[in-house]
Amino acid sequence: SYYRLDYQDPQVDTIGEDYPLIPTPWIASQEMLSYKAQDGTGIDAVLTLPPEPADRNLPLVVLLHDGPQGQDRIGFDWLAQALASRGYLVLQPNYRGSQGYGADFIAAGYGQWDGKILSDIDAGVAEAVRQGLADPARVCMLGVGFGGYAALKAAESGHVRCAASIDGVTDTASYLTWRQARAPSPDPDAFASLTPSAQWPRTFDDAPYSLRKLELFLGAGRPAIDAAQVRAPVLLIHQAGDGVVPVSQSRALNDALRAAGKPVDFVELKGAGHAPDTEAARLAVLQSVTAFLARYDPPS
């Protein structure tokens, strides 16, 4: 919200709001949660609490960012706010590899796509449970891109009641082959992994979907989701025109899960982007996710 303050005649006038259709009482509060990973690495996470939370033992949704080199921070997050409005505690961990904590923290995630990054996420859940914030029997995971992969790995482990993947990677070997086949030659990303900044002329940002960084995070491993090992209901949402992670990733896993007799819902959207960024795509995601959670982990 934006205000005009008059110090001579004390009064406050509201000028405008970024989200005027969302009443202030609806906005969920946020705070940071700091904890230690299994090897002692310090991890920060964003906690979004329901507008009128219960005192203890809330149902928890772990919302995982893309990348792995993404970042979650305090501020309005459409998906976290929507989930909190339904009564869920939302945890968004900045596991190793996330940006915003320096080059060494990013590099600590190299080769850990299927390793320490996942244990960083589990440690965040354990800390929320230890503090009495979350009910350990009512945990679901949801993520975009790499976050979708991590959520599906949690479904393999059986540590969650349900998992949802949005535009997610499901088979890193085929995904890497797909990316390599579409890389330009010569590929400027191979030299610097930079992209022109959208905000500052003549400056560069880290390329958000760098093929070179993907290879660094994967290391020598080429892990895939094993449909036969999945032990929790799964929701797959994918935009048909996704140019970063092809819809074939979710289609193939959907077929494998059905063949294995696993509970799975698959929603294919018409959108062309990666990570829902249009009103229509976000509405469809919210409708699918909230219905899925209500079925497998209702908030009350």
Side-chain angles (χ1 to χ4, degrees):
S1 300
Y2 301 89
Y3 304 96
R4 175 183 177 273
L5 282 68
D6 186 339
Y7 290 99
Q8 301 300 320
D9 181 17
Q11 62 180 17
V12 178
D13 298 321
T14 301
I15 297 174
E17 298 179 340
D18 285 342
Y19 300 90
L21 297 182
I22 302 178
T24 299
W26 289 10
I27 302 296
S29 62
Q30 293 179 306
E31 59 187 55
M32 297 301 296
L33 175 71
S34 296
Y35 61 93
K36 296 292 186 181
Q38 292 178 0
D39 63 359
T41 300
I43 306 292
D44 284 340
V46 179
L47 273 179
T48 304
L49 295 91
E52 296 182 5
D55 291 334
R56 313 278 289 177
N57 296 321
L58 290 163
L60 175 65
V61 174
V62 185
L63 180 56
L64 304 169
H65 64 66
D66 201 355
Q69 198 179 325
Q71 183 189 13
D72 287 311
R73 65 190 79 181
I74 295 289
F76 187 87
D77 182 307
W78 64 277
L79 190 47
Q81 287 285 330
L83 294 171
S85 76
R86 291 335 194 242
Y88 296 98
L89 175 69
V90 182
L91 175 73
Q92 296 173 275
N94 286 314
Y95 37 79
R96 71 191 72 200
S98 301
Q99 63 187 14
Y101 297 90
D104 289 344
F105 192 77
I106 293 174
Y110 294 163
Q112 299 301 322
W113 177 285
D114 203 40
K116 291 182 179 179
I117 291 177
L118 301 184
S119 65
D120 290 349
I121 296 167
D122 291 340
V125 174
E127 180 63 19
V129 170
R130 187 190 70 81
Q131 293 191 21
L133 299 169
D135 182 347
R138 304 176 65 197
V139 179
C140 285
M141 282 199 190
L142 162 66
V144 177
F146 166 79
Y149 172 85
L152 293 169
K153 288 298 289 185
E156 276 190 9
S157 72
H159 295 161
V160 294
R161 291 184 67 163
C162 56
S165 168
I166 302 171
D167 295 340
V169 177
T170 64
D171 184 335
T172 58
S174 64
Y175 177 54
L176 184 60
T177 300
W178 182 86
R179 288 288 307 275
Q180 290 170 336
R182 284 157 180 76
S185 181
D187 185 0
D189 175 52
F191 300 97
S193 299
L194 297 174
T195 187
S197 172
Q199 289 184 300
W200 304 103
R202 296 184 292 178
T203 62
F204 293 85
D205 294 329
D206 213 19
Y209 302 113
S210 162
L211 175 58
R212 176 176 174 272
K213 288 291 179 67
L214 170 64
E215 293 170 336
L216 289 172
F217 279 114
L218 284 174
R222 297 291 181 268
I225 303 301
D226 185 348
Q229 297 300 315
V230 170
R231 291 185 281 171
V234 165
L235 169 64
L236 301 172
I237 302 174
H238 218 117
Q239 297 177 97
D242 189 339
V244 176
V245 179
V247 68
S248 58
Q249 290 278 304
S250 290
R251 287 174 179 169
L253 182 60
N254 175 59
D255 292 343
L257 288 169
R258 291 186 182 281
K262 306 293 183 175
V264 57
D265 294 339
F266 180 39
V267 179
E268 186 170 318
L269 305 179
K270 295 181 180 179
H274 176 69
D277 58 1
T278 66
E279 182 177 358
R282 289 182 174 184
L283 179 59
V285 167
L286 289 175
Q287 289 172 331
S288 300
V289 167
T290 53
F292 178 75
L293 290 173
R295 193 183 342 160
Y296 293 108
D297 191 15
S300 62

